[in-house]
Amino acid sequence: MTIPRMRFTFWKAVFAVIMVAGVYCTFIRFFRGLGASTNLSDQFPWGLWIGFDVMCGVMLAAGGFTLTAAVEIFNIKRFHSIVRPTILTAFLGYLLVCAALMYDLGLPWNIWHPLIMRNPHSVMFEVAYCVMLYTTVLALEFSPIVLEHFHLHRALKIVRSVMVVFVILGVLLSTLHQSSLGTLYLIMPNKLHPFWYSPLLPVFFFLSAISVGLAMTIFESSMSSKYFGREIELPILRDLGRVLVVVLALYGILKFEDLYHRHVLGLVFVSGYEQRFFLLEIFLSVLIPLGMLLVPKIRENAQGLYLAAVLCLLGFVTNRLNVAITGVESAMGGRYTPKWTEVVITAMFVALGFAIFGFAAKYLPIFPEEKAHAPAMRKPETVMSDFAVPVHAGD
Amino acid sequence: MSKGILYDATKCIGCKQCEQACATENGLPYDDKIAAQEVTSAHKYTAVLTKDDKFMRKLCMNCGDPACASVCPVGAMKKTALGPVTYDKSKCMGCRYCMAACPFSVPKYEWEKAIPGVRKCIMCSTRVAEGKQTACAEICPTGATKFGDRDALLDEAKKRIHDNPDTYLHHIFGENEVGGTSVMLLSSIGFNNFGFRNDLTDRALPMYTYQVLSRIPDFIPLFGTMLGGIYWITHRRQDVAEAEAQEREEREFKGGAR
Ligand code: SF4
Ligand code: SF4
Ligand code: SF4
């Protein structure tokens, strides 16, 4: 048991270093301004914080709505045991996105302005509203976990009875803003490179959000089985892998058709700056994971699934960064690389995400311990009884 | 009547008095060093660009249907009926979507400030509202920058090209670009020499997002009903299964009793 222990302290040390650096960078950001803390410029008004913290943050939190839709709406019961961790990730993800946005906005204390100053023609306005409402919905979807923990049965009953409405609302809001993050770029037909600028941007953003939701769930389950000593739900993950194959295939075909009809398919074979990033994105996000998951041996195997999921995540992160940064660099006549302070702040949010997830997983009933309990028949009492927290994770 | 500015590069002598007047009007610093900067920035709303012996002015085009105003979530950027596209810092939250969306990369940011705002030419909105010309047009000694009704200016621009077809490039920049702009430019050499894109669409940019956004109100009830319907169907099956199981049990029970 000495090896996991050492590992645990090592990560704690890394976490501490990142947090200290993060606090220092926070100071620079808020007292000396965006100019001192970022490499943003009039050429590149959006950088890493929008490209990663916001665009990827929202995307990586897509597991919440994907899995709730599968379980609660499509009634696919076998995914039930993994819904909770995805809701936790989503809730956390959105809180972190909101926090990160406070760093990026020039006048963050005006963040509430869209509430009263409305411009319904603005995609940003729509995204702001959806994210705000969806974070509230996620808080409600997350609330049973906390209520269970504190034995508040009556409140639990009330929340459960209206949950369907929130679930539907959550899926609706997610569909809207996940795709709208792509719509944001529709107004830049002359700025965004043709690899990425497409009238179908919203559809691509939506499909990739679903892919990432599935990949993230596989990633999360594998990670928590590693660090919390839980048994891996391999059959469930295999099923998720199959769904991922289908969604990735759809995405890949649509991408091909889109490039073909916009006459940019030829560009894929012409060496260039954008082409390299585009190929990287396509191979990581679609081609390699799809190829891997189509091989039964890999798809049936925990490690294979995990690897495919991680590649897929990296690929779609590349995609968002390509849309936000690579794709506009040529039009703006320059290159953007984030400043170290930007990287530290981003690392801080990622680290916080992992840490809070770990913390919540330890102290809240996120993982139902026994699969024997049929979810539909759960009474609050039985839910309490399977609240067996893996407290020994760190020992 | 919507106002506009017509800048005719063939009449410009590059004296940069418009830059000076703009700085004074907007309370911006101005000296020889700033005059030498041939770019617009947070402290320079207009710049006279030089290419050999030719000039070109760069300022906000004050688009007819501006991308910046369409994308601003809080309506800090606004197209006024008179023509100017204005900015209200007290509303702005600093998302910088206006900067990302502007096809001419006009809005600039006060990156160095802890409480920053967006800066750009606002076509002297206060002066125009008072019935005056813009500061840059008023000071121009040769009439290269001319203020007036946009329609009248457009006719005049067409006439100038028609009367001197050899002097001018047959292109009024801003007549149709991104749906037409309040500021229009005439030149004898290609606008791309001064960093203007020549692949700009003639469609108003906000239409690109609006054609998606405008579908959302229709989409919500449809998609909501679909989700609710799927829920109803999938869970109905469950009810039926449970009821059937119960029936079967009862039947078996009866059968066993017989
Ligand atoms: S040129 Fe740019 S900043 Fe000026 S009105 Fe048009 S979109 Fe707005
Ligand atoms: S930076 Fe300010 S003016 Fe520009 S879009 Fe955002 S809120 Fe509007
Ligand atoms: S219209 Fe006014 S703000 Fe714009 S460049 Fe001329 S003087 Fe400056």
Side-chain angles (χ1 to χ4, degrees):
Chain A
M1 281 316 259
T2 40
I3 293 163
R5 188 199 198 107
M6 272 185 56
R7 229 175 158 168
F8 214 72
T9 17
F10 169 73
W11 286 115
K12 271 186 185 153
V14 171
F15 180 71
V17 171
I18 293 178
M19 290 321 279
V20 171
V23 170
Y24 176 65
C25 294
T26 303
F27 178 81
I28 303 183
R29 158 64 190 93
F30 287 104
F31 288 91
R32 305 212 9 237
L34 283 165
S37 51
T38 67
N39 272 349
L40 297 175
S41 62
D42 289 334
Q43 256 180 328
F44 295 104
W46 286 352
L48 183 68
W49 291 346
I50 289 291
F52 187 85
D53 301 23
V54 176
M55 304 253 288
C56 294
V58 169
M59 173 184 78
L60 293 170
F65 94 92
T66 313
L67 265 288
T68 26
V71 172
E72 307 289 346
I73 294 178
F74 289 90
N75 205 10
I76 307 175
K77 288 212 189 68
R78 57 186 188 281
F79 291 158
H80 191 276
S81 65
I82 48 171
V83 169
R84 284 191 165 187
T86 65
I87 292 181
L88 172 63
T89 325
F91 186 40
L92 256 178
Y94 278 87
L95 290 181
L96 291 174
V97 165
C98 295
L101 203 56
M102 300 298 279
Y103 281 70
D104 188 75
L105 290 181
L107 305 167
W109 44 89
N110 287 349
I111 194 170
W112 56 276
H113 275 184
L115 279 175
I116 55 159
M117 303 167 186
R118 303 196 179 132
N119 177 13
H121 283 244
S122 165
V123 186
M124 184 81 83
F125 171 81
E126 192 239 312
V127 172
Y129 253 82
C130 283
V131 168
M132 214 154 51
L133 291 173
Y134 185 52
T135 310
T136 317
V137 166
L138 277 171
L140 286 163
E141 291 183 351
F142 186 68
S143 66
I145 303 174
V146 180
L147 295 176
E148 268 174 28
H149 185 50
F150 292 106
H151 303 249
L152 299 166
H153 302 315
R154 167 123 7 120
L156 195 61
K157 222 174 170 181
I158 297 172
V159 172
R160 287 234 166 103
S161 63
V162 288
M163 198 47 100
V164 192
V165 180
F166 290 118
V167 165
I168 292 180
L169 201 61
V171 175
L172 188 59
L173 288 167
S174 294
T175 307
L176 287 179
H177 73 261
Q178 292 285 0
S179 54
S180 289
L181 283 176
T183 316
L184 275 184
Y185 287 87
L186 284 184
I187 204 155
M188 309 178 201
N190 302 101
K191 279 191 178 173
L192 188 59
H193 191 278
F195 278 140
W196 297 284
Y197 187 89
S198 155
L200 293 182
L201 262 173
V203 182
F204 286 127
F205 267 56
F206 178 66
L207 281 180
S208 50
I210 294 181
S211 313
V212 166
L214 296 164
M216 194 66 185
T217 311
I218 297 177
F219 172 74
E220 233 165 54
S221 302
S222 312
M223 287 292 274
S224 47
S225 79
K226 208 161 155 193
Y227 287 99
F228 300 110
R230 298 176 51 251
E231 207 171 298
I232 196 159
E233 302 107 329
L234 198 52
I236 298 182
L237 299 193
R238 280 180 190 147
D239 286 345
L240 284 178
R242 271 174 197 260
V243 184
L244 184 56
V245 166
V246 177
V247 184
L248 281 181
L250 286 176
Y251 180 91
I253 293 170
L254 195 65
K255 194 95 199 170
F256 177 85
E257 291 174 347
D258 173 60
L259 291 173
Y260 175 77
H261 288 299
R262 288 188 299 112
H263 310 289
V264 274
L265 206 51
L267 280 183
V268 176
F269 304 101
V270 182
S271 167
Y273 180 73
E274 282 86 4
Q275 180 240 18
R276 280 192 286 280
F277 278 92
F278 180 74
L279 287 182
L280 181 72
E281 166 198 326
I282 284 294
F283 272 96
L284 284 181
S285 61
V286 182
L287 296 180
I288 302 180
L290 201 56
M292 287 174 72
L293 292 174
L294 282 175
V295 180
K297 233 188 191 155
I298 302 179
R299 191 178 59 229
E300 307 287 292
N301 169 289
Q303 243 112 45
L305 271 170
Y306 175 74
L307 192 63
V310 169
L311 288 178
C312 179
L313 291 178
L314 288 176
F316 283 115
V317 165
T318 314
N319 167 260
R320 294 306 194 260
L321 292 175
N322 279 344
V323 171
I325 296 167
T326 322
V328 294
E329 281 185 319
S330 287
M332 300 314 294
R335 297 270 176 262
Y336 159 89
T337 9
K339 203 172 190 157
W340 68 273
T341 33
E342 290 180 81
V343 179
V344 167
I345 296 289
T346 298
M348 178 178 82
F349 281 116
V350 174
L352 271 176
F354 275 99
I356 303 176
F357 184 89
F359 189 81
K362 212 163 162 179
Y363 295 106
L364 291 172
I366 304 297
F367 301 110
E369 275 309 293
E370 297 166 21
K371 272 177 248 151
H373 289 289
M377 303 196 191
R378 285 179 161 216
K379 288 185 204 87
E381 290 77 23
T382 53
V383 173
M384 288 343 295
S385 70
D386 61 34
F387 172 38
V389 187
V391 235
H392 307 294
D395 304 353
Chain B
M1 194 53 135
S2 178
K3 301 289 177 188
I5 292 176
L6 176 65
Y7 169 75
D8 185 338
T10 65
K11 292 183 194 269
C12 183
I13 52 171
C15 66
K16 301 200 177 182
Q17 287 193 56
C18 50
E19 290 188 1
Q20 168 93 61
C22 178
T24 313
E25 173 66 24
N26 294 292
L28 304 169
Y30 197 72
D31 54 30
D32 289 348
K33 212 176 120 220
I34 295 174
Q37 296 168 351
E38 294 209 347
V39 280
T40 53
S41 65
H43 59 80
K44 188 171 181 174
Y45 295 174
T46 182
V48 177
L49 317 178
T50 321
K51 168 100 185 173
D52 304 325
D53 61 341
K54 306 276 194 269
F55 303 105
M56 178 51 62
R57 272 192 74 191
K58 173 107 206 222
L59 68 164
C60 171
M61 300 300 290
N62 291 277
C63 309
D65 190 356
C68 61
S70 142
V71 300
C72 179
V74 292
M77 294 279 183
K78 272 234 150 62
K79 176 78 180 172
T80 58
L82 275 174
V85 177
T86 57
Y87 167 68
D88 181 352
K89 185 173 171 185
S90 68
K91 288 185 173 177
C92 176
M93 52 182 204
C95 67
R96 309 185 298 281
Y97 192 12
C98 52
M99 304 178 67
C102 172
F104 307 103
S105 303
V106 165
K108 308 291 180 201
Y109 211 59
E110 297 175 315
W111 297 105
E112 301 315 315
K113 293 200 182 169
I115 304 180
V118 177
R119 309 303 295 272
K120 74 171 197 69
C121 152
I122 48 165
M123 209 174 128
C124 291
S125 57
T126 333
R127 291 178 65 103
V128 170
E130 289 166 355
K132 289 195 264 186
Q133 306 188 36
T134 64
C136 53
E138 190 179 70
I139 200 115
C140 183
T142 65
T145 298
K146 191 172 174 186
F147 178 82
D149 287 339
R150 186 186 184 264
D151 295 343
L153 289 175
L154 182 60
D155 289 342
E156 185 170 339
K158 283 179 183 157
K159 187 164 177 298
R160 285 187 203 173
I161 293 180
H162 182 263
D163 293 347
N164 303 286
D166 301 332
T167 319
Y168 290 100
L169 195 74
H170 293 216
H171 181 180
I172 305 168
F173 194 93
E175 181 186 5
N176 299 316
E177 271 77 11
V178 292
T181 58
S182 293
V183 174
M184 291 171 294
L185 312 170
L186 284 176
S187 171
S188 54
I189 58 169
F191 292 95
N192 52 342
N193 286 303
F194 301 100
F196 288 91
R197 307 188 59 126
N198 43 19
D199 60 349
L200 285 173
T201 158
D202 284 351
R203 268 179 85 193
L205 293 179
M207 287 316 293
Y208 285 84
T209 41
Y210 188 67
Q211 64 189 14
V212 176
L213 272 185
S214 58
R215 305 250 169 91
I216 289 180
D218 292 344
F219 174 78
I220 290 174
L222 283 174
F223 197 63
T225 307
M226 196 186 92
L227 291 176
I230 295 174
Y231 174 85
W232 187 64
I233 294 167
T234 55
H235 288 74
R236 167 81 190 137
R237 219 181 277 152
Q238 183 181 337
D239 292 349
V240 170
E242 267 164 26
E244 273 175 0
Q246 207 173 341
E247 228 169 75
R248 210 175 306 128
E249 236 169 62
E250 271 167 26
R251 218 179 294 133
E252 268 165 28
F253 179 74
K254 273 186 205 152
R258 201 180 284 163

